[in-house]
Amino acid sequence: MQDALLRLQQEADTDLAAISNADQLESFRVKYFGRKGPFTQLMRQLGAAPKEDRPKLGKMANELKLALQGRFDEKKVDLVGSLAAAGPQLDLSLPGRQVPQGKLHPVTQIMEEICAIFEGLGFSVAEGPDIETDFYNFEALNIPAHHPARDMHDTFYVDDSTLLRTHTSPMQARVMETAEPPLKVIAPGKVYRCDSDITHTPMFHQVEGFLVDKNVSFADLKGVLRVFIAKMFDESTAIRFRPSYFPFTEPSAEVDIACVMCGGKGCRVCKKTGWLEILGAGMIDPEVFKKVNYDPEVYSGFAFGLGVERIAMLKYGINDIRLYYENDLRFLRQF
Ligand code: PHE
């Protein structure tokens, strides 16, 4: 019986070494550890052995079985590991998983479109700080302390002389202070006003534009804006200049386009007027030139400031400005 046990061990080891897949692993288990396996049979034969040999033989058979079980378990772990490392079973007919694609925010897209149009007309781009001094935001633009025009701005103050810029117009003074005419500049960026409803957010974007040279007239302003609106909206979009007031331009105008919803017939969006305001503009006031040491007798220029969200709303037919800033992907994915 001792011989039989030794032979069994050799045979089992050879079989174990040959295992290379899960099926073979299972057949091995059934063959050696099953109810009809060699160990069960050996145990039955134990009764036929001499009485004094039985404990020794029984112990031997048990140890052999346990050791084999241990080697079998190791083999199993190895095999499962190498099968997993080889990767899962692939179904090449499954459709691929879509990687979600990010895009530029609609306001950024419109901003870039606006800048590209003016760059095409020869304007260069200047950027300035969001946290601005009272001087550039107001004083340099002919809005002294206590000027009633300050009321229009709902300013966020940082301290007595520092604020979040309420418009991009301070860039007029910043650029003119450091450069000589002729100048053709746009200044895109964020601006801030303490105001919030369906057409106002506390932060929004403007693009400022200004041109300074000799003999610049209101006709030049009109020509540039005409081209811009034709490119931004439609060649046939009607425009009108409406007299207005800004302390830093004289004369000043607000520019309207024919309502993009009703084409000028009058609807809810244009409040039955047929017109939509899209920007403020005018001829740069001589007082602004004096502040930056330009001679108003020699130079003239125009400036305009347009609201980017406003233009994006009109272009895309959006009626609530706050949608831009709620980060709802169902909204953002449409652009
Ligand atoms: N800065 C003005 C505003 O925010 C717009 C403007 C810019 C008007 C330039 C005239 C010239 O309302």
Side-chain angles (χ1 to χ4, degrees):
M1 181 159 173
Q2 209 164 340
D3 291 346
L5 278 171
L6 289 174
R7 255 185 281 117
L8 176 60
Q9 171 163 18
Q10 268 171 11
E11 198 190 315
D13 280 342
T14 319
D15 279 359
L16 193 65
I19 291 176
S20 65
N21 63 37
D23 287 345
Q24 291 166 349
L25 204 65
E26 178 60 8
S27 331
F28 184 94
R29 190 190 65 76
V30 173
K31 177 170 170 191
Y32 288 97
F33 305 123
R35 261 195 307 126
K36 289 178 188 151
F39 288 104
T40 319
Q41 278 167 28
L42 277 169
M43 285 308 189
R44 267 191 215 125
Q45 289 163 22
L46 207 59
K51 203 172 172 205
E52 63 278 18
D53 290 345
R54 278 183 216 160
K56 199 180 101 198
L57 288 171
K59 194 169 166 236
M60 205 175 145
N62 260 329
E63 280 171 0
L64 203 138
K65 188 178 174 185
L66 272 176
L68 187 63
Q69 180 82 54
R71 288 200 296 285
F72 172 78
D73 288 344
E74 269 170 34
K75 181 85 189 179
K76 193 164 157 181
V77 170
D78 280 358
L79 199 66
V80 169
S82 63
L83 287 177
Q89 299 280 298
L90 290 183
D91 180 350
L92 296 177
S93 68
L94 280 176
R97 249 176 238 146
Q98 290 249 310
V99 181
Q101 202 186 10
K103 296 184 198 154
L104 292 179
H105 190 278
V107 171
T108 310
Q109 288 182 36
I110 292 288
M111 188 97 153
E112 290 189 350
E113 206 176 314
I114 295 169
C115 290
I117 293 171
F118 286 109
E119 283 171 274
L121 292 172
F123 284 73
S124 52
V125 180
E127 281 177 299
D130 290 16
I131 301 172
E132 188 53 282
T133 60
D134 185 280
F135 176 78
Y136 287 112
N137 199 82
F138 292 128
E139 293 281 338
L141 295 170
N142 197 28
I143 316 176
H146 311 300
H147 191 288
R150 289 199 178 205
D151 282 355
M152 287 161 47
H153 288 248
D154 303 306
T155 312
F156 286 115
Y157 280 92
V158 177
D159 59 39
D160 282 349
S161 57
T162 322
L163 43 80
L164 299 182
R165 66 178 175 188
T166 58
H167 52 175
T168 42
S169 301
M171 285 306 288
Q172 292 183 34
R174 280 183 175 273
V175 171
M176 286 191 240
E177 199 178 57
T178 55
E180 290 297 312
L183 285 177
K184 241 174 149 182
V185 176
I186 49 165
K190 292 184 167 67
V191 300
Y192 306 83
R193 291 183 199 180
C194 186
D195 203 352
S196 183
D197 58 39
I198 66 164
T199 52
H200 299 89
T201 46
M203 183 282 297
F204 60 103
H205 296 79
Q206 287 188 337
V207 175
E208 190 82 5
F210 50 98
L211 183 151
V212 185
D213 203 345
K214 290 173 181 155
N215 303 316
V216 179
S217 75
F218 205 96
D220 298 314
L221 169 64
K222 206 171 169 186
V224 165
L225 292 178
R226 171 74 267 175
V227 170
F228 166 70
I229 289 162
K231 288 196 188 283
M232 194 72 210
F233 293 94
D234 201 285
E235 287 290 340
S236 57
T237 307
I239 63 175
R240 78 171 178 187
F241 284 66
R242 199 160 28 77
S244 184
Y245 171 76
F246 299 103
F248 38 95
T249 48
E250 182 59 35
S252 302
E254 279 171 314
V255 178
D256 300 338
I257 59 171
C259 179
V260 288
M261 302 296 162
C262 62
K265 286 191 206 66
C267 69
R268 230 169 34 125
V269 174
C270 59
K271 302 199 184 83
K272 306 266 183 236
T273 63
W275 296 97
L276 297 164
E277 183 199 323
I278 65 157
L279 59 90
M283 300 308 291
I284 298 174
D285 195 293
E287 289 303 317
V288 175
F289 283 148
K290 283 185 206 161
K291 289 263 200 297
V292 294
N293 296 318
Y294 283 6
D295 184 349
E297 299 300 324
V298 179
Y299 294 114
S300 53
F302 64 74
F304 56 87
L306 42 94
V308 179
E309 280 81 352
R310 171 113 187 122
I311 289 183
M313 285 170 83
L314 298 178
K315 203 166 151 121
Y316 295 132
I318 290 157
N319 55 14
D320 187 341
I321 193 174
R322 293 169 298 194
L323 285 166
Y324 287 125
Y325 296 109
E326 282 167 358
N327 287 336
D328 186 333
L329 288 177
R330 291 169 302 178
F331 174 77
L332 295 175
R333 282 209 178 101
Q334 296 176 54
F335 301 95

